[in-house]
Amino acid sequence: LGTIIKFVDTLNSIEDLEYVNFTWHGGEPFLYPIESYKAIFEYIDKNFSKKYCHVFQTNGTLITDDWIKLFSEYFVSIGISVDGADYESNKARFSDEKIYKKMISNLDLVLNSNLYTSIFITLGRHNIDKIDEIFKFIEEKKPNGFYINPIKKKIGNELSVNEWLEIIEKMDEFSKRTGIENSLTPQIQRAINGEIPSLCMLNGACNKFINMNVDGEIFKTCVFQSQSNYLGNIDEDNIK
């Protein structure tokens, strides 16, 4: 807890920093005790002078009414990772079908709350043939938004460029028809119009993010932690 508070204070001391999106992910962020998050949220609410928001990215298996109550109090948004409308598409995420069904039940619990909720889907060879079912699943669940992310690693499961372009077109058509936002196609349109998109995967600014792990190590990246983007440890080094 002290490490996180020190990190928050460091951000607060940066004069030209106007807005912070606190994105809690992992691993699984819900493994951290709810009492600790409550203390963190209270500290930020009372002491942080910048504009900010909280976003949680989770596999959805550990969500309870108590979490939803806490998130509602502090206006936390939540993204739930799910790779399709059946267990077969989600075997890489969930070792047992009971766990998958628990996630679906928790997804419905969140969607029935007042939280801004998004569904995040990783698309690859394992579920590309079920893309129509995936869109139907999203439409039935009616989240505030969704994001379909292609597998990028060269592991034999990634999509071809043409397949991904086709999915982007379907995402755009789906959002226009249903009114369910997607995070990608509006940003692509911004780029086409000569504007700078905010998604780092489109503007090349992934190294403009600050990422801290549970050991207090800080990296200038949105996701991938490596020695090349290591900045130091918040508890051991003088990081500004």
Side-chain angles (χ1 to χ4, degrees), residues 87-119:
Y87 174 61
E88 190 68 26
S89 300
N90 288 274
K91 281 187 174 181
R93 293 190 181 277
F94 308 107
S95 59
D96 187 280
E97 188 170 6
K98 291 181 180 178
I99 302 175
Y100 166 74
K101 290 181 177 179
K102 176 63 174 175
M103 179 277 298
I104 293 295
S105 176
N106 287 346
L107 173 61
D108 291 335
L109 186 68
V110 173
L111 289 170
N112 288 326
S113 72
N114 64 346
L115 300 179
Y116 186 97
T117 307
S118 298
I119 293 176

Side-chain angles (χ1 to χ4, degrees), residues 154-169:
K154 302 295 183 181
I155 57 176
N157 195 26
E158 65 274 3
L159 304 180
S160 69
V161 172
N162 287 338
E163 285 175 322
W164 181 227
L165 289 174
E166 184 177 343
I167 296 303
I168 290 174
E169 290 180 359

Side-chain angles (χ1 to χ4, degrees), residues 40-81:
I40 293 167
F41 292 167
E42 287 179 348
Y43 182 85
I44 292 174
D45 187 52
K46 293 178 181 179
N47 299 283
F48 201 63
S49 61
K50 319 292 184 182
K51 294 181 180 179
Y52 69 91
C53 70
H54 291 291
V55 179
F56 271 65
Q57 185 61 37
T58 173
N59 66 17
T61 59
L62 300 177
I63 300 171
T64 64
D65 287 326
D66 288 338
W67 283 104
I68 291 177
K69 181 179 179 181
L70 176 66
F71 285 3
S72 297
E73 183 178 353
Y74 289 95
F75 305 102
V76 177
S77 300
I78 187 166
I80 296 182
S81 301

Side-chain angles (χ1 to χ4, degrees), residues 15-236:
E15 292 185 3
D16 58 351
L17 184 64
E18 298 179 356
Y19 182 84
V20 175
N21 184 330
F22 290 102
T23 302
W24 306 88
H25 61 95
E28 176 49 54
F30 281 78
L31 291 172
Y32 200 59
I34 189 171
E35 294 82 8
S36 296
Y37 278 118
K38 183 175 176 60
I40 293 167
F41 292 167
E42 287 179 348
Y43 182 85
I44 292 174
D45 187 52
K46 293 178 181 179
N47 299 283
F48 201 63
S49 61
K50 319 292 184 182
K51 294 181 180 179
Y52 69 91
C53 70
H54 291 291
V55 179
F56 271 65
Q57 185 61 37
T58 173
N59 66 17
T61 59
L62 300 177
I63 300 171
T64 64
D65 287 326
D66 288 338
W67 283 104
I68 291 177
K69 181 179 179 181
L70 176 66
F71 285 3
S72 297
E73 183 178 353
Y74 289 95
F75 305 102
V76 177
S77 300
I78 187 166
I80 296 182
S81 301
V82 51
D83 287 352
D86 55 43
Y87 174 61
E88 190 68 26
S89 300
N90 288 274
K91 281 187 174 181
R93 293 190 181 277
F94 308 107
S95 59
D96 187 280
E97 188 170 6
K98 291 181 180 178
I99 302 175
Y100 166 74
K101 290 181 177 179
K102 176 63 174 175
M103 179 277 298
I104 293 295
S105 176
N106 287 346
L107 173 61
D108 291 335
L109 186 68
V110 173
L111 289 170
N112 288 326
S113 72
N114 64 346
L115 300 179
Y116 186 97
T117 307
S118 298
I119 293 176
F120 284 71
I121 295 171
T122 300
L123 202 64
R125 300 255 67 84
H126 67 295
N127 58 356
I128 182 64
D129 60 330
K130 296 182 179 180
I131 187 62
D132 291 338
E133 288 88 344
I134 288 174
F135 279 118
K136 183 179 179 181
F137 173 77
I138 296 171
E139 186 168 4
E140 289 176 348
K141 293 301 180 182
K142 296 181 175 61
N144 298 100
F146 73 97
Y147 185 73
I148 297 179
N149 188 42
I151 289 179
K152 303 181 184 70
K153 297 179 181 179
K154 302 295 183 181
I155 57 176
N157 195 26
E158 65 274 3
L159 304 180
S160 69
V161 172
N162 287 338
E163 285 175 322
W164 181 227
L165 289 174
E166 184 177 343
I167 296 303
I168 290 174
E169 290 180 359
K170 288 186 176 182
M171 289 171 63
D172 190 46
E173 293 170 358
F174 177 84
S175 290
K176 289 176 179 177
R177 179 176 62 82
T178 64
I180 301 174
E181 301 175 353
N182 81 79
S183 305
L184 181 60
T185 58
Q187 297 300 319
I188 292 176
Q189 190 60 54
R190 284 179 61 89
I192 292 173
N193 294 340
E195 303 173 75
I196 299 177
S198 59
L199 284 177
C200 65
M201 65 180 291
L202 297 178
N203 63 24
C206 290
N207 63 348
K208 301 298 183 182
F209 287 74
I210 298 297
N211 188 323
M212 187 178 77
N213 64 22
V214 294
D215 296 319
E217 295 176 324
I218 296 179
F219 303 80
K220 53 176 182 178
T221 175
C222 58
V223 179
F224 301 107
Q225 299 178 352
S226 67
Q227 197 61 37
S228 63
N229 51 41
Y230 179 67
L231 295 176
N233 190 295
I234 192 72
D235 291 321
E236 301 172 2

